[in-house]
Amino acid sequence: MPASSILPLSLRRVGFRIDGRTIIDDVSVDIGAGPSTILLGANGAGKSVLMRLMHGLLAPTSGSVAWSDRDPERQRRLQAMVFQRPVLLRRSALANVAYALKVARVPRPERERLAAEALESVGLLHLANRPARVLSGGEQQRLALARAWALHPEVLFLDEPTASLDPSATREIERVIQAFDAAGTKIIMATHNLGQARRVGDEVLFIHHGRLVERAAMDHFFAQPASAEAAAFIKGELPWT
Amino acid sequence: MGAFADAARSAWGLIATGDAALLDIVGLSLAVSLSAVACATVVGLPLGAALAIGRFPGRRAIVILLNALMGLPPVVVGLAVYLMLSRAGPLGAFGLLFTPGAMVIAQTILVLPIIAALCRQAVDDAWAEYEEQLRSLGASGFGAALTLVWDIRFSLLTAILAGLGRASAEVGAVMIVGGNIDGVTRVMTTAIALETSKGDLPLALALGGVLILLVIALNAVAHVVKDAAQRRYG
Amino acid sequence: MDLSRRALVALAAACALVTAHAQSTYITVASTTSTEQSGLFKHLLPVFEKKYAIQVRVVALGTGQALDMGRRGDADVVFVHARPLEERFVAEGFGVQRLDVMYNDFVLIGPQSDPAKVAGGKDIVEAFRKIYAAQAAFVSRGDRSGTHFAELALWKSSGIDIAAAKGAWYRDTGQGMGPALNSAAGMGAYILADRGTWLSFRNRADLAIAVQGDARLFNQYGVMLVNPAKFPSVKQGAAQAFIDWLVSAEGQGAIAAYRIGGEPLFFPNAKN
């Protein structure tokens, strides 16, 4: 979709301070279509905040976040986000997906079909009429993925999507993410799980203390981390200061 | 104690015989309190949601005021409404004083702060959970608020029940603006006050028992509905 | 939205129910707790309502409050018992004309232990002096009611300045007749009450009549039409019909016929 792409996403000297504390410090990066990007770092490194700045849920206190397409309506429509803990509405699984389509002003007759397709893509079609809040944790997260993907966004943000799930549910989620990736969706995922980063990602943005310390292709990053912090993190010996 | 045994017997007698005067009083009590709660709900839920989600100057002051007004003394509300509706007052021309309509107005004023304040709290808590997700989906302020209120509708039932409890239990306001007129504005609480005045304490206690049963029944129904719905929708 | 639509339907239904009460012709009578709580109105009103197809709505308050209700135009008729106050009400132009309707009497109620030794006496003023001398517990209405004004007048006749003399023994409750009797029953105190309320009062504990029959215990009731010239909302025709009926032979007969345990509570004395 190069003609209508909202990518690349450009961050220029982005900073985020709150209550006098610096959470994100002078991050500049361009993220283009193609490889799956992993925001890697320890808990508290600033991955989630950086992702919210990219998605537009937070406004930077300095610097700028810009998409190549300046139309805010298209920007919003062509990106979606899945959170660590899915927030589902008290209605059926199908209605949850349909709600997202309604908010995006998809005409009513098409909503149900698109929602059913999205559920099918995450293997939840058989639970379409089940109330969303009574699904298992893994099913809820897959439903959140279906909802995010129903509009076929160009960019899908995922913030630690498996952090609260058991290993088998985690595998399921990763399979779905890989399928979306294969279908051409740009994946940008935050995680602190090295194994998951390797399974899902193609490149790494390593975040430490709110700074972008290193950007590298996945294999290269693990084989030869350029920074001492990344090397320490990989060894599981990240020094806390 | 003998009084309680007498009261229990007398209450049972009233219920068992379906005493016509009692049924009228119970019916009017329900009509007045439910109307007041309905009015307060129609105004209070949007107000509470707006205060939870909206960001405008004076919002904090209104929230504090609303919380304080939850404890509004019914007698003061009754008196204020009385002076408004009195023939000599600004709304005297409508001739509402000593009618059930006046009682609905007074109880609406009493119940509104409770429903609005509890709704604000519930929506505020839910908003903390839903905000990012709804914004990510692109839901706008008003639409997001509506979605939120609908999604926590079972929790809001608790706020409405709290309002109903307040309305059906208060006597000060309805006594003043209704006048406790036999067959016209006499409700359960004013009837209890009257029988207490006449020294017929067992009958007063019996009426109190009927009122409590009624409130328990209403709450039971509401909770059964709420529980069933919550099991259904999670 | 579904919820709000259902709420609106419920609201409309409730409003219909509520306003259904306000259909027929009715008048509002401001009266006293003594007439309401003695059961007199329950006896009188059905007779009148049936004949005239006019509903009478009684709001029972103390005499002072009932007159204030008339002063604000919130009643069509005022039916109370404190003659000087009633005459002032008419003189001020709030009432049209004051008519005598009936009388009963006040009684001094006290505990059977009779700490002030007044039981069986006929002199109410002497009894008040003894109560004060014994500092025996005494419950006052303290609510500007007709009974309260009568009590104050009796303290004055006894030569006791109650404002200065009141102490722990004198309990100013600010309540209606019934609640005040409940308080007196609970404290074993003396109290001045109208005979009608006393006769219909149930929670007597060990209270009994201590003093009765003194001419100074006479209690006259009067009725007034609220001035329609001042308040156009006054339903003059219906209200006048009620007043006329009260002082008519039929109304007076109905008052005389009201008895509790064979005892008459009120004695008609309209001047016709």
Side-chain angles (χ1 to χ4, degrees):
Chain A
M1 44 189 116
S4 60
S5 178
I6 57 170
L7 289 167
L9 169 65
S10 305
L11 278 66
R12 287 289 164 269
R13 310 212 60 176
V14 166
F16 187 78
R17 291 173 61 81
I18 190 162
D19 300 334
R21 287 194 310 126
T22 300
I23 312 294
I24 296 297
D25 188 8
D26 197 21
V27 170
S28 295
V29 69
D30 288 289
I31 299 177
S36 294
T37 303
I38 302 293
L39 303 185
L40 189 67
N43 286 324
K47 308 184 294 291
S48 288
V49 171
L50 185 58
M51 180 165 282
R52 281 162 172 74
L53 289 165
M54 291 174 172
H55 187 38
L57 290 177
L58 291 175
T61 48
S62 60
S64 67
V65 175
W67 300 84
S68 72
D69 191 316
R70 302 281 163 165
D71 175 7
E73 187 59 33
R74 274 175 50 78
Q75 279 179 19
R76 208 178 59 196
R77 208 186 148 100
L78 289 176
Q79 51 174 316
M81 180 157 168
V82 170
F83 297 84
Q84 179 175 339
R85 300 178 61 171
V87 178
L88 300 171
L89 301 176
R90 287 185 179 80
R91 44 185 97 185
S92 73
L94 189 73
N96 262 278
V97 182
Y99 173 77
L101 297 169
K102 179 184 160 198
V103 169
R105 300 206 188 85
V106 173
R108 190 185 285 269
E110 282 180 58
R111 284 180 212 158
E112 190 142 333
R113 181 179 58 79
L114 286 172
E117 274 176 25
L119 286 180
E120 171 122 62
S121 69
V122 300
L124 281 183
L125 191 55
H126 64 293
L127 297 177
N129 294 316
R130 196 70 69 80
R133 293 254 176 163
V134 304
L135 298 174
S136 73
E139 288 165 347
Q140 290 201 13
Q141 193 59 291
R142 275 193 280 154
L143 176 53
L145 279 163
R147 178 172 62 184
W149 203 61
L151 280 167
H152 300 280
E154 187 183 351
V155 181
L156 180 59
F157 291 101
L158 300 136
D159 183 17
E160 303 265 13
T162 63
S164 342
L165 299 179
D166 63 36
S168 86
T170 298
R171 293 278 181 283
E172 280 291 330
I173 298 294
E174 287 177 4
R175 257 198 294 282
V176 171
I177 295 169
Q178 282 157 349
F180 289 172
D181 182 22
T185 299
K186 166 76 185 184
I187 301 293
I188 303 177
M189 180 167 86
T191 185
H192 65 277
N193 179 322
L194 297 178
Q196 183 166 62
R198 290 183 105 140
R199 287 191 295 275
V200 176
D202 301 314
E203 65 163 349
V204 172
L205 300 185
F206 181 69
I207 316 294
H208 183 69
H209 287 194
R211 300 182 69 93
L212 175 58
V213 175
E214 186 173 345
R215 179 179 196 175
M218 188 64 65
D219 295 339
H220 190 261
F221 177 79
F222 280 100
Q224 287 180 293
S227 62
E229 293 92 341
F233 180 71
I234 292 169
K235 277 192 187 155
E237 296 173 358
L238 190 70
W240 296 95
T241 53
Chain B
M1 248 186 93
F4 284 99
D6 281 357
R9 241 192 318 279
S10 163
W12 175 246
L14 285 170
I15 297 168
T17 58
D19 185 87
L22 177 71
L23 286 181
D24 276 357
I25 291 175
V26 168
L28 185 64
S29 288
L30 283 175
V32 167
S33 293
L34 289 175
S35 305
V37 167
C39 295
T41 300
V42 168
V43 179
L45 292 189
L47 177 63
L51 288 171
I53 294 174
R55 294 288 175 268
F56 47 89
R59 176 178 153 276
R60 269 177 69 87
I62 296 176
V63 170
I64 291 169
L65 186 68
L66 215 51
N67 283 320
L69 291 184
M70 288 210 287
L72 212 53
V75 178
V76 174
V77 171
L79 198 59
V81 173
Y82 180 98
L83 293 174
M84 294 299 285
L85 297 183
S86 171
R87 288 287 177 187
L91 304 176
F94 296 104
L96 280 171
L97 194 62
F98 304 131
T99 65
M103 299 158 83
V104 171
I105 293 172
Q107 290 203 335
T108 300
I109 294 171
L110 278 174
V111 168
L112 180 61
I114 294 181
I115 292 184
L118 294 181
C119 171
R120 187 206 66 81
Q121 190 60 57
V123 172
D124 207 38
D125 293 346
W127 186 236
E129 183 191 351
Y130 287 56
E131 180 185 4
E132 284 194 327
Q133 181 68 68
L134 291 179
R135 280 179 55 208
S136 173
L137 291 175
S140 65
F142 182 70
L146 224 57
T147 301
L148 202 60
V149 167
W150 180 243
D151 214 59
I152 62 169
R153 57 196 179 277
F154 306 121
S155 317
L156 295 179
L157 197 58
T158 308
I160 294 171
L161 281 178
L164 184 62
R166 165 94 154 165
S168 55
E170 77 85 23
V171 58
V174 287
M175 181 69 95
I176 294 176
V177 304
N180 190 25
I181 299 169
D182 194 10
V184 181
T185 56
R186 182 160 301 165
V187 292
M188 293 296 290
T189 53
T190 59
I192 292 167
L194 178 65
E195 294 308 330
T196 306
S197 295
K198 285 155 73 173
D200 197 341
L201 305 189
L203 181 55
L205 207 52
L207 289 169
V210 173
L211 176 61
I212 290 167
L213 284 180
L214 203 67
V215 171
I216 290 175
L218 277 174
N219 273 275
V221 168
H223 274 100
V224 166
V225 168
K226 185 182 169 182
D227 283 357
Q230 243 160 10
R231 263 196 306 281
R232 172 103 178 69
Y233 295 105
Chain C
M1 191 173 250
D2 208 20
L3 175 72
S4 55
R5 197 183 310 135
R6 243 176 290 162
L8 280 177
V9 170
L11 182 64
C15 288
L17 221 162
V18 163
T19 49
H21 281 272
Q23 296 299 313
S24 57
T25 314
Y26 68 89
I27 57 169
T28 305
V29 176
S31 190
T32 66
T33 50
S34 55
T35 38
E36 161 91 351
Q37 291 176 14
S38 64
L40 177 67
F41 280 126
K42 261 210 160 69
H43 167 77
L44 283 186
L45 298 183
V47 184
F48 171 77
E49 289 176 339
K50 197 172 167 196
K51 184 163 177 185
Y52 289 86
I54 296 168
Q55 188 191 23
V56 180
R57 300 182 174 180
V58 177
V59 178
L61 303 160
T63 290
Q65 292 171 289
L67 287 166
D68 284 348
M69 215 179 117
R71 283 194 176 88
R72 273 190 299 266
D74 293 325
D76 303 302
V77 174
V78 182
F79 186 7
V80 291
H81 63 122
R83 188 160 189 158
L85 299 185
E86 295 160 35
E87 281 165 351
R88 193 193 329 153
F89 182 78
V90 173
E92 287 166 353
F94 292 108
V96 174
Q97 180 195 8
R98 182 193 167 281
L99 295 172
D100 283 336
V101 178
M102 62 189 188
Y103 68 91
N104 68 351
D105 61 344
F106 294 112
V107 287
L108 181 68
I109 306 294
Q112 270 153 20
S113 59
D114 195 24
K117 302 275 173 287
V118 297
K122 288 265 181 253
D123 186 336
I124 186 65
V125 167
E126 185 56 29
F128 266 47
R129 286 196 195 110
K130 283 183 176 169
I131 289 170
Y132 172 60
Q135 299 276 297
F138 184 95
V139 166
S140 170
R141 292 277 297 275
D143 64 348
R144 295 170 59 235
S145 61
T147 309
H148 183 215
F149 284 118
E151 178 214 314
L152 293 178
L154 288 171
W155 286 116
K156 207 170 173 189
S157 309
S158 314
I160 295 163
D161 178 3
I162 194 63
K166 64 170 67 169
W169 63 280
Y170 185 87
R171 288 154 197 185
D172 197 334
T173 60
Q175 299 196 86
M177 193 71 257
L181 278 167
N182 277 329
S183 301
M187 301 180 216
Y190 291 95
I191 179 171
L192 188 72
D194 67 281
R195 188 184 291 272
T197 305
W198 168 252
L199 286 177
S200 57
F201 185 73
R202 302 277 193 89
N203 181 35
R204 292 183 182 179
D206 80 328
L207 295 183
I209 293 180
V211 177
Q212 60 183 331
D214 190 316
R216 284 166 290 198
L217 289 170
F218 180 79
N219 180 26
Q220 177 68 46
Y221 285 82
V223 69
M224 287 145 286
L225 176 70
V226 176
N227 193 352
K230 244 191 166 91
F231 299 104
S233 60
V234 169
K235 294 164 183 157
Q236 189 175 1
Q240 192 62 53
F242 178 61
I243 292 170
D244 291 347
W245 181 81
L246 272 182
V247 299
S248 73
E250 190 189 348
Q252 296 277 294
I255 291 169
Y258 182 55
R259 283 155 197 266
I260 289 181
E263 258 188 279
L265 272 69
F266 297 95
F267 303 91
N269 69 340
K271 300 174 191 76
N272 270 350

